[in-house]
């Protein structure tokens, strides 16, 4: 599969088969995602693979703002919780901000890492969807995430039990301008 095939073919999957994902496959996905670029090569993104009762607890207790996300999590055999180490991305060694974007760079790093993870999963036949509506503090509490980290995204993953078609894309003329 070419990179272009992977980018064009990947879809957000919200229904999964119950088949377990071998931990060696999860480790391979994270190893691949570790090649995502990051601010000054800080590599702040961390992953927690959640299965079983803790996954179910997150689906039940941390998705009140959008309960359908809890249904998606329940459908997936694994929930990847994406977190970042605080106060590194976008900062100088003395703790000052490097740019006017301040600590916003950690979201870029987490976003690039999350998409890289999802593309690596797709290449292995594993579906994924990046969820952003959830109670991050509740997830952190349930999992005992250290104080120096922020939970950024939830990525339910599993073998797809649906094959959504590609949504219509805007034409290049709407997306690109020249000066």
């Amino acid at each position: 599969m070419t990179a272009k095939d992977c980018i064009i073919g990947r879809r957000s999957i919200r229904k999964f088969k119950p088949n377990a994902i071998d931990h060696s496959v999860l480790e391979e996905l994270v190893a691949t995602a570790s090649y995502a670029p990051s601010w000054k090569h800080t590599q702040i993104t961390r992953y927690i693979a959640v299965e079983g009762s803790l996954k179910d607890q997150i689906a039940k207790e941390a998705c009140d703002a959008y309960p359908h996300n809890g249904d998606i999590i329940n459908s997936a055999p694994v929930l990847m919780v994406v977190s970042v180490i605080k106060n590194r991305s976008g900062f100088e060694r003395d703790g000052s901000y490097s740019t006017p974007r301040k600590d916003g760079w950690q979201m870029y790093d987490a976003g690039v890492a999350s998409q890289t993870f999802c593309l690596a999963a797709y290449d292995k036949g594993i579906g994924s969807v990046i969820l952003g509506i959830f109670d991050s503090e509740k997830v952190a509490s349930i999992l005992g995430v250290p104080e120096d980290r922020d939970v950024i995204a939830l990525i339910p993953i599993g073998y797809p039990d649906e094959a959504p078609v590609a949504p219509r894309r805007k034409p290049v003329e709407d997306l690109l301008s020249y000066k």
Side-chain angles (χ1 to χ4, degrees):
M1 175 181 312
T2 68
K4 184 176 180 179
D5 292 337
C6 195
I7 293 165
I8 292 172
R10 188 209 163 266
R11 299 282 167 272
S12 291
I13 301 297
R14 294 173 176 84
K15 294 179 183 171
F16 305 93
K17 295 178 181 173
N19 310 51
I21 300 173
D22 191 271
H23 287 188
S24 65
V25 173
L26 297 176
E27 291 164 12
E28 182 180 352
L29 298 178
V30 170
T32 301
S34 76
Y35 282 85
S38 62
W39 174 270
K40 294 185 179 182
H41 197 58
T42 51
Q43 303 179 68
I44 62 167
T45 304
R46 299 294 184 268
Y47 304 87
I48 304 169
V50 185
E51 303 167 301
S53 62
L54 283 178
K55 179 183 73 73
D56 297 341
Q57 185 179 359
I58 290 169
K60 182 179 179 182
E61 297 178 15
C63 296
D64 291 342
Y66 189 65
H68 183 58
N69 281 348
D71 298 336
I72 297 167
I73 293 167
N74 281 328
S75 169
V78 179
L79 176 64
M80 296 302 290
V81 175
V82 179
S83 68
V84 296
I85 299 173
K86 297 179 194 177
N87 303 326
R88 289 200 187 157
S89 186
F91 289 85
E92 295 299 317
R93 291 186 188 273
D94 67 4
S96 65
Y97 295 122
S98 300
T99 75
R101 295 222 186 269
K102 301 183 179 179
D103 66 349
W105 287 103
Q106 72 184 16
M107 295 302 284
Y108 286 95
D109 287 356
V112 171
S114 294
Q115 177 67 352
T116 303
F117 177 89
C118 291
L119 291 171
Y122 176 72
D123 185 54
K124 294 291 182 189
I126 297 170
S128 62
V129 61
I130 300 171
L131 304 178
I133 304 174
F134 62 91
D135 184 335
S136 60
E137 291 180 12
K138 186 68 166 178
V139 173
S141 174
I142 290 168
L143 297 177
V145 174
E147 292 280 325
D148 70 336
R149 295 189 194 169
D150 275 334
V151 174
I152 302 296
L154 303 180
I155 307 177
I157 65 171
Y159 296 99
D161 199 18
E162 65 177 346
V165 298
R168 188 178 70 78
R169 299 295 192 227
K170 293 182 180 191
V172 172
E173 297 79 25
D174 290 354
L175 303 173
L176 175 65
S177 62
Y178 293 95
K179 300 282 181 178

